[in-house]
Amino acid sequence: MSTIQDVARQAAVSVSTVSNVLNGRTDRMRPETLLRVEAAIAELQFRPNSLARQLKTGQTPLLGLLVPSIANPMYGMIARAVETFAQEQYGYRVIVGNTYREKDKEAAFLEDLLAHGVRRVVVISSLADEHHLTQAVERGMVVVSFDRRATPGEASGIDHVTPDNFEAGRLATRHLIAYGHTRLAFATVAGLTVGRSDKIRGFLAAAAEAGLQQHARVLEGGPMNEYGDAAIGEVGRELAKSAAGDPHRPTGVVAVNDMMALGFMAGLREAGLRVPHDMSVVGMDGLFLAEIANPALTTLQLPVTEMARAMVERAMSRQSHLEPAAEEQVFPFTRLIERESVGPPPVSETKVPITR
Amino acid sequence: MSTIQDVARQAAVSVSTVSNVLNGRTDRMRPETLLRVEAAIAELQFRPNSLARQLKTGQTPLLGLLVPSIANPMYGMIARAVETFAQEQYGYRVIVGNTYREKDKEAAFLEDLLAHGVRRVVVISSLADEHHLTQAVERGMVVVSFDRRATPGEASGIDHVTPDNFEAGRLATRHLIAYGHTRLAFATVAGLTVGRSDKIRGFLAAAAEAGLQQHARVLEGGPMNEYGDAAIGEVGRELAKSAAGDPHRPTGVVAVNDMMALGFMAGLREAGLRVPHDMSVVGMDGLFLAEIANPALTTLQLPVTEMARAMVERAMSRQSHLEPAAEEQVFPFTRLIERESVGPPPVSETKVPITR
DNA sequence: CTGAAAGCGCTAACAG
DNA sequence: CTGTTAGCGCTTTCAG
């Protein structure tokens, strides 16, 4: 690979002149000089070494992206949008890391990014403890976190971009209640993340509104080791099989996300139960997969592209971690898409009287 | 962030001694010196700047990963395995790029990797033209290509790790034929990649073996702009809808991959056709999603983890692009997993007489 | 308008 | 065993 020196020699100018054209300071030279330099660059197929430039400037056009698992279709969607936007709008490339929601892996990833000179990262984690994140902030990292609310009154220096999980849990549950369901369940996986807790709170709030708090249960499957993977679908499947055997089983279930819902429906089917005839299921995320499922899954649509854009913009806009206060940006789920997985509860079931 | 100089000063040794401990040459110093240096490193929270090291050594612990779209669950699976393996076995991080199978985007990505000092890349592309890849090889890149065979007799310097696509097409088709299907179709998407052509050849070969070449058609949907995305499922859906309307429609279809098959089944359902009662479908890849689909999809299982491991190992083993000849490593699909999407053809259909 | 020169943080001879 | 030193390729004052 040719260097800036080679170009300078070839064009018979000094390296600083070449550097100037590289950095757009073309006004500092005679047009003919510029032409000579450009010709030399083309001829030598010269590409400035990003490493050397970074060492000097301290900035590298790389964005970190930490996800539980890139194999999870939801994170794949987000990753695609983040990468494309970062690249097209800012010329940044992205380094991804699967962390399986393990704190150590997250910390190690952040550590490596720092060593690589990466100063901006989008984190999808929502581990309750974000100490390792604030630590990265202190070391100069601009971090944007997905799927967890900012801790009120705490200036962590972290930007938060998150879905309105509480509202989502409430909306999905209300939808079931509107269809007449009185035995409700929320299907989730072991390990409480901030986002999951919020959804559960919303679920419980909607049940309480309808006087159904006695009949609202949280079903927790797992745990699993490769979180975020196909594993969550698998957990849903197992959960459904055990729920199906319960004579007092719920008639309407809200799944923590679409993959869980899809797995849950598969488990129900294996147990001989039909959706929505025997049980109704609503998901969250709005994956394309929900659309082609059988029955097609009723779900809440999350504005993935918009959120990805917001995360990248926040990560890029701040010149350093020292800048203005970090902010929280909450995105409502766009809407509830009614499809086939929700119907009235089976008539044979004993109805629970509604209190009010 | 503290530097090696700070550490040296703190430990009252020279920078080279610190560098020596950093690089494991601990035998060159007194144990007590080592201790002092380690203490200083810990105290200052020193992390060697990877950039500076790279500039000096010319090697950076980064692996490029070029995919059509990380949102495609199949590539998500591969990416997860590649990243995890590269990280755990070699301490490498990975830079991903979505290229949507566009040659320009692929070339630009390779270009950026080179500028970043990245010297190893795993490419999932299978564009017929791999000129931009060989060009990268010439510039010092070690490239491992997925899903395309090596061009016989051409020493491109590229390693190839690929499924046995021809055999897969043939196996899937034979499975349908064994069930008595005589009207066959191969569902794919516009834009012939090497892998897709091989599958089609296998499909045609199996049909010919059974004297069914007159009744084997290739159904091509699309094109689409965001290849590899949900888009391929969508294409399958549309393709199924139009195929359903044809009175001479096939009774058995082989889909180019699971996402296509899943979309195809959804389209069939929307058109009022049942699987496998009215039409049988077999996929390829063995995604977890195939397992929870309704009906569960019969598919060919690809050994994703093993292939990812092979790709990373190849990318890492070669010390430079100049080394030994590049090789081709072909992985057979592990097996055909029979589930619910394949059955005998509908009896009402006119049977095509089998020639031999 | 153009060139010389001082580093960015680290590695690796080469001396002591 | 430990220190000195010359760069890796580029950017950026500061002089001409």
Side-chain angles (χ1 to χ4, degrees):
Chain A
M1 296 215 67
S2 40
T3 75
I4 199 173
Q5 317 272 0
D6 301 330
V7 176
R9 199 175 316 119
Q10 172 92 8
V13 297
S14 74
V15 293
S16 50
T17 299
V18 179
S19 174
N20 282 336
V21 351
L22 254 30
N23 294 283
R25 290 182 286 267
T26 51
D27 52 320
R28 296 200 198 168
M29 67 199 73
R30 220 166 352 203
E32 56 196 82
T33 310
L34 173 59
L35 252 38
R36 270 215 321 285
V37 173
E38 284 174 339
I41 288 177
E43 190 167 337
L44 270 47
Q45 287 211 60
F46 169 75
R47 298 277 308 175
N49 180 324
S50 179
L51 247 40
R53 173 177 281 173
Q54 291 159 41
L55 184 56
K56 190 67 191 173
T57 63
Q59 279 276 331
T60 169
L62 249 24
L63 172 67
L65 175 61
L66 183 161
V67 293
S69 167
I70 195 71
N72 180 315
M74 180 59 178
Y75 301 134
M77 289 253 59
I78 297 176
R80 189 202 64 81
V82 165
E83 194 276 340
T84 301
F85 192 67
Q87 158 58 20
E88 288 178 355
Q89 296 302 307
Y90 301 93
Y92 269 53
R93 292 294 177 183
V94 358
I95 298 191
V96 275
N98 296 294
T99 60
Y100 305 104
R101 293 201 193 272
E102 286 173 31
K103 194 179 177 188
D104 288 353
K105 288 206 170 67
E106 296 191 358
F109 182 60
L110 258 7
E111 199 64 61
D112 276 9
L113 290 183
L114 247 5
H116 276 291
V118 178
R119 288 291 169 275
R120 305 166 194 283
V121 65
V122 168
V123 171
I124 302 182
S125 158
S126 56
L127 281 178
D129 179 4
E130 57 177 12
H131 180 243
H132 53 310
L133 299 187
T134 57
Q135 199 164 288
V137 169
E138 281 159 18
R139 306 237 255 128
M141 193 74 98
V142 174
V143 1
V144 178
S145 169
F146 176 83
D147 201 28
R148 57 166 296 153
R149 308 293 299 263
T151 311
E154 224 181 70
S156 61
I158 299 173
D159 265 313
H160 294 270
V161 170
T162 170
D164 191 340
N165 290 311
F166 174 81
E167 198 56 28
R170 188 152 71 170
L171 250 38
T173 311
R174 280 179 179 163
H175 183 64
L176 253 16
I177 292 172
Y179 263 86
H181 291 272
T182 50
R183 293 175 180 285
L184 275 11
F186 186 89
T188 185
V189 67
L192 242 35
T193 65
V194 179
R196 303 208 274 250
S197 317
D198 286 349
K199 284 177 181 172
I200 292 175
R201 287 198 303 109
F203 164 72
L204 261 15
E209 280 171 10
L212 260 21
Q213 57 272 255
Q214 304 299 334
H215 307 280
R217 302 188 270 147
V218 174
L219 267 28
E220 191 173 279
M224 49 194 173
N225 36 17
E226 296 196 7
Y227 179 89
D229 259 344
I232 194 165
E234 194 54 47
V235 168
R237 177 146 74 157
E238 293 307 322
L239 202 54
K241 285 192 208 170
S242 70
D246 180 354
H248 292 290
R249 62 168 178 262
T251 62
V253 1
V254 175
V256 70
N257 58 40
D258 284 351
M259 285 309 293
M260 167 65 83
L262 261 15
F264 201 91
M265 292 203 299
L268 253 22
R269 194 161 72 86
E270 282 166 43
L273 260 35
R274 286 162 302 165
V275 173
H277 187 273
D278 299 313
M279 204 183 283
S280 289
V281 177
V282 16
M284 301 187 187
D285 280 350
L287 294 182
F288 170 72
L289 296 165
E291 199 175 335
I292 60 174
N294 178 18
L297 181 67
T298 288
T299 187
L300 286 163
Q301 180 68 51
L302 196 69
V304 173
T305 312
E306 290 73 9
M307 292 188 75
R309 170 184 291 259
M311 292 194 285
V312 174
E313 277 171 356
R314 284 194 122 45
M316 297 303 180
S317 65
R318 299 175 60 202
Q319 202 41 53
S320 92
H321 54 121
L322 308 162
E323 261 179 52
E327 278 168 40
E328 181 186 61
Q329 200 170 347
V330 179
F331 282 74
F333 278 73
T334 315
R335 65 204 171 88
L336 187 140
I337 305 174
E338 291 196 51
R339 291 202 270 243
E340 308 165 344
S341 65
V342 173
V347 287
S348 58
E349 295 286 331
T350 321
K351 285 275 177 56
V352 175
I354 298 190
T355 312
R356 61 182 188 101
Chain B
M1 297 217 68
S2 40
T3 76
I4 199 174
Q5 317 273 0
D6 301 330
V7 176
R9 199 176 314 121
Q10 173 91 10
V13 296
S14 75
V15 292
S16 51
T17 299
V18 180
S19 174
N20 282 336
V21 353
L22 253 30
N23 294 283
R25 290 182 284 267
T26 50
D27 52 319
R28 295 200 200 169
M29 66 199 74
R30 215 164 1 198
E32 56 195 82
T33 311
L34 173 58
L35 252 38
R36 270 216 320 285
V37 173
E38 283 174 338
I41 289 178
E43 191 169 337
L44 269 49
Q45 284 212 59
F46 169 75
R47 297 281 306 175
N49 180 326
S50 178
L51 247 40
R53 172 177 284 173
Q54 291 159 42
L55 184 57
K56 186 68 191 174
T57 64
Q59 280 276 334
T60 168
L62 250 23
L63 172 68
L65 175 61
L66 184 160
V67 292
S69 167
I70 195 69
N72 180 315
M74 180 59 178
Y75 301 134
M77 289 252 61
I78 297 176
R80 189 201 65 79
V82 165
E83 194 276 338
T84 300
F85 192 66
Q87 158 58 20
E88 290 178 355
Q89 296 302 307
Y90 301 93
Y92 269 51
R93 293 293 177 183
V94 358
I95 298 192
V96 276
N98 296 294
T99 60
Y100 306 104
R101 292 201 194 272
E102 285 174 32
K103 195 179 176 186
D104 289 354
K105 287 205 170 67
E106 296 191 357
F109 182 60
L110 258 7
E111 198 66 60
D112 277 10
L113 290 182
L114 247 4
H116 276 290
V118 178
R119 288 291 168 275
R120 306 168 193 282
V121 66
V122 168
V123 172
I124 302 183
S125 158
S126 56
L127 282 178
D129 179 5
E130 58 177 10
H131 180 241
H132 54 309
L133 298 186
T134 57
Q135 198 163 287
V137 169
E138 280 159 21
R139 306 238 255 129
M141 193 73 99
V142 173
V143 1
V144 178
S145 169
F146 175 82
D147 201 26
R148 58 165 297 150
R149 308 296 297 264
T151 311
E154 224 181 69
S156 59
I158 299 173
D159 265 313
H160 294 270
V161 171
T162 169
D164 191 341
N165 290 311
F166 174 81
E167 198 55 29
R170 188 153 71 170
L171 251 37
T173 311
R174 280 179 179 164
H175 183 64
L176 254 15
I177 291 172
Y179 263 86
H181 291 272
T182 51
R183 294 174 178 286
L184 274 11
F186 185 90
T188 185
V189 68
L192 242 36
T193 66
V194 179
R196 304 209 274 250
S197 316
D198 285 350
K199 286 177 181 173
I200 292 174
R201 285 195 306 107
F203 165 72
L204 262 14
E209 278 170 12
L212 260 20
Q213 57 272 257
Q214 304 299 333
H215 307 280
R217 303 187 271 147
V218 173
L219 267 26
E220 191 174 278
M224 51 192 172
N225 33 19
E226 294 194 11
Y227 179 88
D229 261 346
I232 195 164
E234 194 55 47
V235 168
R237 177 146 74 155
E238 293 306 324
L239 203 54
K241 286 193 208 168
S242 72
D246 181 354
H248 293 290
R249 62 169 178 263
T251 62
V253 0
V254 176
V256 70
N257 57 41
D258 284 350
M259 284 308 294
M260 167 64 83
L262 261 15
F264 202 91
M265 292 203 300
L268 253 22
R269 194 162 69 87
E270 283 166 43
L273 259 34
R274 285 162 303 164
V275 174
H277 188 272
D278 299 312
M279 202 182 283
S280 289
V281 177
V282 16
M284 301 186 186
D285 280 351
L287 294 183
F288 170 72
L289 297 165
E291 198 174 335
I292 60 173
N294 178 16
L297 181 67
T298 288
T299 187
L300 286 163
Q301 181 67 50
L302 196 70
V304 174
T305 311
E306 290 74 7
M307 293 189 75
R309 171 184 291 259
M311 292 194 286
V312 174
E313 277 171 356
R314 282 193 124 43
M316 297 303 181
S317 65
R318 299 175 61 201
Q319 202 39 55
S320 91
H321 55 121
L322 307 162
E323 258 177 58
E327 278 168 40
E328 182 186 60
Q329 200 171 347
V330 180
F331 282 74
F333 278 74
T334 315
R335 63 203 174 89
L336 187 139
I337 305 174
E338 291 195 52
R339 290 201 270 244
E340 309 165 343
S341 65
V342 173
V347 288
S348 57
E349 295 286 330
T350 320
K351 285 271 176 61
V352 175
I354 297 189
T355 312
R356 61 180 191 104

